[in-house]
Amino acid sequence: MSTLTGSEAGPDGVRERLRARWDGLGRPARILVWLFVGTLVMRLVTYVGIAGGPLVGDEAFYLDSGRALSNLLRDLVSLDGPNTAELERHVVGSGWFMPGMSVVLTPLYLLVPAAPLALVRAYLALFSALLLLLTALKVRRTLGNGPAGAMLVFPGLVPTYSVFGAAAWGDTSAGLLVVLMLCQAIDMLRAARDHGRISWRDGVKLGLFAIVAVYFRSSVSLLVVGMLGITFVTSLVLARRSDRGRVVTTYVAAGLVFLAILAPWSLAASTSLDGRVLTTVSVPTVRANAFGDRDTICFGECDPGSSIWFSPLRYSREQGRAAGVSETVVADEMSAYARRHVTAESYARDVGINSGRYFGQPARFATLLRWDGAPYDVVPLAEVLTLGTFYPACLVMLVLLGAATRRTFDSQLTLVLLKVGIIGLMAQPFVHIGGPRYWTTMAPMLGIGAALLWTMRRERRADLPQRRGGVATWLFVAQIALGAFALAVVATMGVLAI
């Protein structure tokens, strides 16, 4: 067994080994390293500008929930009974928020129970940077250097995205988990193409990525279902007839993992709210505020002095207690009453307004987190760089939805999955009040999509043969159908809104 000499073990030896490793990297890998360093610098710059900023919106709930979960772990270690009242109040709460970010914050509050907000933001910035790194490495292994680098540029170098990384929202983390799920699906389908079968262990990984994404943001549920469905059908098309039973087993494993991890939250929320809760219960109130008459949500005007969210919540709880039914039942009735005069035309106009909010002011949340005591104002940087990259990325989104290719299996498959992801996330303005924070979930897919469009251009220039028959035809039909669906929805909403 060899041992290191003094010079090899000292600082000079460490530097030599690091230099040798660096020299062994190819040029693309070095570029990726520098791009990731750039994302770290951007996070440091934006962190200084928001470290002392206020909590905004849902952040306060996630911090309280993280503290409650850390207290639960302390109780379990000390063999004390859990404080169920605290868990109901701060973890389940109104049933509006999945506890993914709360779980992320739990280790911090275990170590530093009274962690100041500046430390919380630093911890979240580090967590999001590591998740971005892990995702970029997975993208590199699955899709290559180009897509990984494109994702590190957009959204990795976008200031507003970095701001979100230091905030207690789950939007950015959910987007990265969706990318991990996409890469896992591609790996599985390659295995099915090359070997005619896939392992149930791959299904477990796919289900794990899917449910963790939902835990960060329940709004990705439609995307997750769509991606699982497309992957399952494509696996059946690729597999030999004798191996299709194993394919079914693989996706059953994915479903079982998904449901097993979802169950603790779903059961706890259902018990606490005395109603059936799968993910969250905010949809009725959201739909009432987005498309109904806000002045009649509480069967008339709600109590003044609170937001459009919490006044209806209080009312539904009070009415539920008085009637002896679940507050979720009352919320459904309130939502139906507020939307009783909604027409197809009014709905289409509201969808247009929500879409405008979704795509308008993409740097707005940096202004909400700005810190007056910071050595510099991060908002001008956020606005210039975010506006300069966000709208070109929106153009990439439109091109992806309309694109189609027959050239290579990888390009066909990646394009189909990206279309499913974009359409799934763009359901947001159809069910929810739009806002400029939601684009951060889609952003990593748009970075990968830009690299895919460049690859497709190179494939056309190289005049690669077009693939036909079997899975190639299925993937081409799926591309056309998804693009046509998106166009039909936009056209229909436009006609109705005019």
Side-chain angles (χ1 to χ4, degrees), residues 169-184:
W169 289 298
D171 303 74
T172 57
S173 297
L176 293 173
L177 262 298
V178 165
V179 170
L180 290 172
M181 180 185 174
L182 182 148
C183 290
Q184 178 64 23

Side-chain angles (χ1 to χ4, degrees), residues 2 19 100 140 149 207 211 413 495:
S2 62
R19 188 179 299 112
R140 180 174 181 252
I211 186 57
L413 178 58
V495 170

Side-chain angles (χ1 to χ4, degrees), residues 226-411:
M227 204 168 286
L228 287 172
I230 286 287
T231 308
F232 174 61
V233 173
T234 307
S235 298
L236 289 177
V237 174
L238 285 166
R240 295 185 296 264
R241 185 182 300 273
S242 59
D243 289 320
R244 287 177 181 171
R246 295 186 181 183
V247 169
V248 173
T249 300
T250 296
Y251 285 90
V252 167
L256 290 175
V257 169
F258 187 98
L259 294 175
I261 299 177
L262 176 64
W265 160 256
S266 183
L267 292 173
S270 298
T271 301
S272 176
L273 299 174
D274 191 25
R276 186 172 62 184
V277 179
L278 186 61
T279 55
T280 59
V281 297
S282 59
V283 171
T285 302
V286 164
R287 293 175 66 197
N289 279 316
F291 308 110
D293 182 358
R294 295 181 184 177
D295 293 333
T296 63
I297 291 180
C298 299
F299 303 109
E301 289 192 30
C302 296
D303 293 335
S306 186
S307 70
I308 60 174
W309 307 112
F310 291 105
S311 287
L313 175 63
R314 283 202 302 266
Y315 184 85
S316 65
R317 285 179 173 174
E318 292 168 359
Q319 293 300 310
R321 282 194 294 266
V325 299
S326 170
E327 65 188 70
T328 60
V329 173
V330 179
D332 286 335
E333 295 173 352
M334 292 164 60
S335 179
Y337 184 81
R339 292 181 290 111
R340 67 193 185 282
H341 298 309
V342 172
T343 64
E345 291 78 11
S346 70
Y347 174 75
R349 286 192 292 270
D350 287 333
V351 168
I353 293 171
N354 288 336
S355 299
R357 294 192 182 111
Y358 188 106
F359 291 104
Q361 298 180 304
R364 177 173 174 266
F365 270 84
T367 67
L368 299 180
L369 295 174
R370 75 200 313 171
W371 175 30
D372 292 336
Y376 50 81
D377 187 358
V378 75
V379 171
L381 174 69
E383 290 179 337
V384 170
L385 292 184
T386 303
L387 291 173
T389 54
F390 175 73
Y391 290 112
C394 292
L395 179 60
V396 167
M397 179 190 72
L398 295 176
V399 175
L400 283 170
L401 288 174
T405 182
R406 285 180 177 269
R407 305 286 178 178
T408 65
F409 174 81
D410 281 359
S411 292

Side-chain angles (χ1 to χ4, degrees), residues 135 139 142-143 146-148 150-151 154-155 175-186 189 220 222-224 226-228 230-231 234 358 393-405 409-427 441-456 475 478-483 485-486:
T135 306
V139 171
T142 301
L143 299 174
M151 191 185 72
F154 185 88
L176 293 173
L177 262 298
V178 165
V179 170
L180 290 172
M181 180 185 174
L182 182 148
C183 290
Q184 178 64 23
I186 292 173
L189 293 173
V220 304
L222 181 61
L223 178 161
V224 163
M227 204 168 286
L228 287 172
I230 286 287
T231 308
T234 307
Y358 188 106
C394 292
L395 179 60
V396 167
M397 179 190 72
L398 295 176
V399 175
L400 283 170
L401 288 174
T405 182
F409 174 81
D410 281 359
S411 292
Q412 281 193 297
L413 178 58
T414 306
L415 182 58
V416 168
L417 293 176
L418 287 175
K419 286 190 179 194
V420 170
I422 291 169
I423 292 172
L425 290 179
M426 281 311 302
T441 305
M442 190 191 300
M445 287 192 292
L446 297 184
I448 294 171
L452 174 63
L453 292 177
W454 180 257
T455 298
M456 289 166 56
L475 291 174
Q479 294 168 51
I480 299 299
L482 290 167
F485 172 77

Side-chain angles (χ1 to χ4, degrees), residues 190-197 240 243:
R190 283 175 179 167
R193 177 198 60 184
D194 295 338
H195 308 295
R197 64 184 66 178
R240 295 185 296 264
D243 289 320

